[in-house]
Amino acid sequence: VQLQASGGGLVQAGGSLRVSCVASGRIFSSHVMGWFRQAPGKEREFVGSIRWSTGSTRVVDSVKGRFTISKDSARNTVYLQMNNLKPEDTAVYFCARANGLSSDEREYRNWGRGTLVTVSS
């Protein structure tokens, strides 16, 4: 499976953006798709994930109420809808696949090229 994130860009604080992650291969029902981000000068961090079989999602507290994860199984695509963006959300956003629920990036594979989201104040 190859993953490709896209949809990043420049947005003002308070604005919204949706980034996508398209999988070139099959995603199995046991898979979990995760979103991570890496801000300039910082380590990559877990943002949230979605279980492919049920669509159940989880996000970290720092984005709860602002970010939503969803999927389109027919398009093999996962979305990260980001609302009320803040300058501290500026980062390169990555998607990856895991075999089970985890927030540990070491459990994830098939990292795609990220997409840059820049939030101006």
Side-chain angles (χ1 to χ4, degrees):
V1 176
Q2 288 188 327
L3 304 175
Q4 179 64 57
S6 63
L10 175 63
V11 62
Q12 288 188 330
S16 298
L17 201 63
R18 189 179 77 166
V19 293
S20 305
C21 173
V22 180
S24 62
R26 182 178 176 184
I27 302 175
F28 292 91
S29 59
S30 59
H31 287 161
V32 171
M33 304 300 292
W35 282 101
F36 291 77
R37 66 185 181 184
Q38 186 167 19
K42 295 187 177 181
E43 294 186 351
R44 189 158 55 189
E45 64 174 0
F46 176 74
V47 175
S49 63
I50 183 166
R51 189 188 290 270
W52 197 254
S53 59
T54 63
S56 62
T57 63
R58 56 184 290 221
V59 295
V60 295
D61 287 345
S62 61
V63 306
K64 195 167 291 183
R66 301 188 298 122
F67 289 14
T68 304
I69 299 174
S70 62
K71 68 179 180 75
D72 184 335
S73 298
R75 296 178 185 271
N76 253 19
T77 301
V78 177
Y79 302 101
L80 178 66
Q81 176 68 45
M82 302 179 287
N83 299 326
N84 191 21
L85 282 160
K86 304 176 181 180
E88 52 263 42
D89 295 318
T90 294
V92 177
Y93 284 74
F94 300 88
C95 58
R97 176 188 63 82
N99 290 326
L101 282 176
S102 177
S103 60
D104 187 343
E105 66 174 273
R106 295 171 296 180
E107 299 295 327
Y108 284 83
R109 302 289 183 267
N110 306 107
W111 292 90
R113 186 180 302 176
T115 186
L116 176 63
V117 173
T118 303
V119 184
S120 62
S121 58

